[in-house]
Amino acid sequence: MNGVDDFDIQILKELEKDGRMAYSAIATTLGVSNTMVHQRISRLTEQGILTGIKPVLDEKKIGYDWGAFTGITLEKDHDSNRIIEELKKIPEVTECYYITGNYTLYIKIVAKNHEHMRKVLYEKIDNISGIAKTDSIIELGCAFKRNLIL
């Protein structure tokens, strides 16, 4: 597993339970020193395996009741980097993937209601130069969302 040993996996499992967990608590749970946990987390971060500890928001609980997955067809695929930079400027676009198949990009959009979703799609996304068409599927709720289980 690319520079990850069993001890690293144990640390990652502890962080998965609570990303705010103190290194000392992880050290106590695993029976090792604080320094060792700190060094391991630093190495995992430097290697890009651990990309950060950030809050996970429940969008619905903060008023964003609508979600959509949208496939984007580009006029020219080589414009994808520029279009991705434009998509990053839209706060309601929370995820963006390169995919194979009928679309070049696949994004996740969150919105407060159907009118907000319409504005995001038609006034923000469709106005990005180089987007030929979008195809959206409304999500009705998340059954589960998780990191890879190690």
Side-chain angles (χ1 to χ4, degrees):
M1 249 205 263
N2 229 358
V4 178
D5 62 19
D6 289 338
F7 186 72
D8 293 329
I9 290 171
Q10 289 176 15
I11 291 172
L12 292 171
K13 284 181 177 179
E14 292 301 313
L15 288 173
E16 180 68 22
K17 291 177 196 172
D18 180 1
R20 298 173 298 173
M21 184 179 287
Y23 292 173
S24 59
I26 295 171
T28 300
T29 300
L30 301 180
V32 296
S33 73
N34 230 3
T35 303
M36 182 182 241
V37 171
H38 187 271
Q39 288 172 340
R40 290 292 185 116
I41 290 173
S42 293
R43 183 178 52 78
L44 290 167
T45 302
E46 287 168 11
Q47 291 178 340
I49 294 167
L50 183 61
T51 60
I53 309 286
K54 31 188 171 180
V56 178
L57 300 178
D58 182 333
E59 291 101 351
K60 293 188 184 318
K61 289 185 178 174
I62 58 172
Y64 287 76
D65 289 332
W66 279 63
F69 296 97
T70 300
I72 299 177
T73 304
L74 305 183
E75 291 171 3
K76 297 175 185 165
D77 284 350
H78 68 269
D79 283 345
S80 63
N81 288 337
R82 180 188 54 77
I83 291 168
I84 289 167
E85 289 307 311
E86 291 300 314
L87 290 168
K88 285 180 181 178
K89 296 175 185 176
I90 303 170
E92 296 90 350
V93 176
T94 60
E95 299 175 48
C96 180
Y97 299 92
Y98 295 105
I99 60 168
T100 62
N102 295 330
Y103 311 110
T104 305
L105 301 171
Y106 209 66
I107 61 173
K108 169 80 187 282
I109 305 167
V110 295
K112 294 180 179 182
N113 52 45
H114 74 280
E115 181 64 17
H116 185 196
M117 181 65 73
R118 186 194 65 74
K119 286 182 178 182
V120 171
L121 282 167
Y122 296 150
E123 296 176 16
K124 294 182 178 182
I125 294 171
D126 283 349
N127 282 329
I128 296 173
S129 173
I131 291 182
K133 116 180 168 166
T134 61
D135 186 15
S136 295
I137 301 168
I138 300 298
E139 64 105 339
L140 300 175
C142 181
F144 71 87
K145 185 176 181 178
R146 65 178 177 204
N147 285 323
L148 173 68
I149 298 173
L150 301 173

